[in-house]
Amino acid sequence: MSELVHTPAELAVARARLTGTVGVVMTMGALHSGHETLLRAAREQADHVLVTIFVNPLQFGPNEDFDRYPRTLDEDLAVCRRAGVDLVFAPSVPDLYPDGAPEIRVDPGRPGADLEGLSRPGFFQGVLTVVLKLLQLTRADLAFFGEKDYQQLTVVRRMVRDLNVPVRIVGVPTVREPDGLALSSRNRYLSPTQRQAALGLSATLRAGAEAAEAGLDAGAVLAAAHRAFGAVDPTVELDYLVLTDPDLEPGPVAGEARLLIAASLGGVRLIDNLAIRLAPRP
């Protein structure tokens, strides 16, 4: 049975009872199969699993979906129980920010300035501030993040390294529907027609991956991905489609790389990415 607590004081008491290693999975709720994969990874690698459920207002812009973001605590608790989660921390906004929006926040620096950071000003500042706060409160030994939010995973790793936070960050591969759509809590906003159109994101990434597997160079790989996106339903509005190295630096000539895409569809923001290997033929 998963124990549910709401306040930092309750969390401190419950956390003190957990002996051995603790793995944390931070979520905004609306749990799906992708989250369950994170929970299984945490169960395999830690003695105890702690889940946080908190829709963080700091990472939502003024015209984003904070108010309508799905809040499904009862269903989320059922998922946690099935996954063998020991402790669930589900604070309210006043529980976590008792003095209102925090005056001091974490600056994501250059790693968070581009891509999502460029399109959503303040987003990574809000993400890193709440992640650091939750790491302090949970005192986790390991923290599990999905690779679907690849830039988030990258900036969290950099924060932990730069600030000497005593936790190991574990990336977990993206979970997809059988048709290739990356799982996301925001997918529930999509109509059946929009959901079909959203498959264009994963198709675009696959086209780039296939070009890499065919031995094309970085420029040709990115061009192949852009051509594939050109065939996507025009209701899908591209924000960015880029090729980088695994640390989000400018794309390498050869070796491991990451292809990332973001687009909007009916007011719903969708992101996806794929690891590829560049081995261009001479």
Side-chain angles (χ1 to χ4, degrees):
M1 184 69 176
S2 303
E3 181 179 0
L4 173 64
V5 297
H6 295 287
T7 69
E10 293 170 342
L11 174 62
V13 172
R15 172 65 178 85
R17 293 195 290 265
L18 301 181
T19 58
T21 57
V22 172
V24 66
V25 177
M26 299 180 190
T27 82
M28 293 203 301
L31 303 186
H32 50 64
S33 298
H35 293 109
E36 292 188 73
T37 298
L38 294 174
L39 299 180
R40 286 194 295 272
R43 171 56 63 200
E44 291 169 359
Q45 298 184 48
D47 297 318
H48 298 283
V49 179
L50 193 165
V51 170
T52 68
I53 297 176
F54 180 65
V55 183
N56 176 35
L58 300 188
Q59 67 194 68
F60 286 80
N63 299 313
E64 294 185 340
D65 58 342
F66 175 74
D67 290 330
R68 71 168 180 145
Y69 195 87
R71 291 159 171 85
T72 57
L73 183 59
D74 289 341
E75 293 90 336
D76 295 341
L77 291 174
V79 171
C80 290
R81 285 193 291 270
R82 289 198 303 270
V85 170
D86 298 279
L87 181 59
V88 177
F89 178 47
S92 67
V93 172
D95 286 330
L96 211 57
Y97 302 126
D99 300 317
E103 294 290 335
I104 296 176
R105 307 187 187 193
V106 180
D107 183 350
R110 183 187 50 75
D114 201 5
L115 304 177
E116 292 300 292
L118 189 62
S119 297
R120 305 177 68 188
F123 172 70
F124 282 121
Q125 185 185 78
V127 168
L128 294 184
T129 298
V130 78
V131 167
L132 183 58
K133 193 174 182 77
L134 291 171
L135 289 174
Q136 299 275 35
L137 290 170
T138 62
R139 296 182 289 114
D141 302 286
L142 305 96
F144 296 80
F145 291 86
E147 288 186 359
K148 187 187 83 68
D149 298 295
Y150 189 78
Q151 188 179 12
Q152 173 178 281
L153 170 62
T154 303
V155 297
V156 167
R157 279 179 168 154
R158 186 60 182 263
M159 177 188 72
V160 164
R161 184 166 69 247
D162 285 356
L163 301 184
N164 297 104
V165 183
V167 65
R168 180 162 65 89
I169 303 300
V170 181
V172 179
T174 301
V175 178
R176 299 182 180 278
E177 298 280 7
D179 58 11
L181 184 67
L183 288 178
S184 169
S185 298
R186 288 186 168 95
N187 287 352
R188 66 185 65 198
Y189 296 157
L190 301 173
S191 69
T193 301
Q194 290 172 329
R195 192 193 176 289
Q196 187 65 30
L199 295 176
L201 274 72
S202 56
T204 296
L205 297 178
R206 285 198 306 274
E210 289 167 1
E213 290 167 2
L216 300 185
D217 63 21
V221 166
L222 188 57
H226 275 282
R227 282 196 301 274
F229 187 83
V232 170
D233 189 305
T235 60
V236 183
E237 300 177 15
L238 183 66
D239 182 359
Y240 60 77
L241 174 56
V242 298
L243 181 65
T244 74
D245 80 357
D247 294 320
L248 300 180
E249 297 292 340
V253 173
E256 301 301 321
R258 186 71 57 159
L259 195 57
L260 303 100
I261 188 171
S264 295
L265 177 57
V268 181
R269 184 174 181 81
L270 300 172
I271 62 174
D272 201 350
N273 69 89
L274 200 62
I276 66 172
R277 182 170 183 80
L278 295 169
R281 292 173 183 164

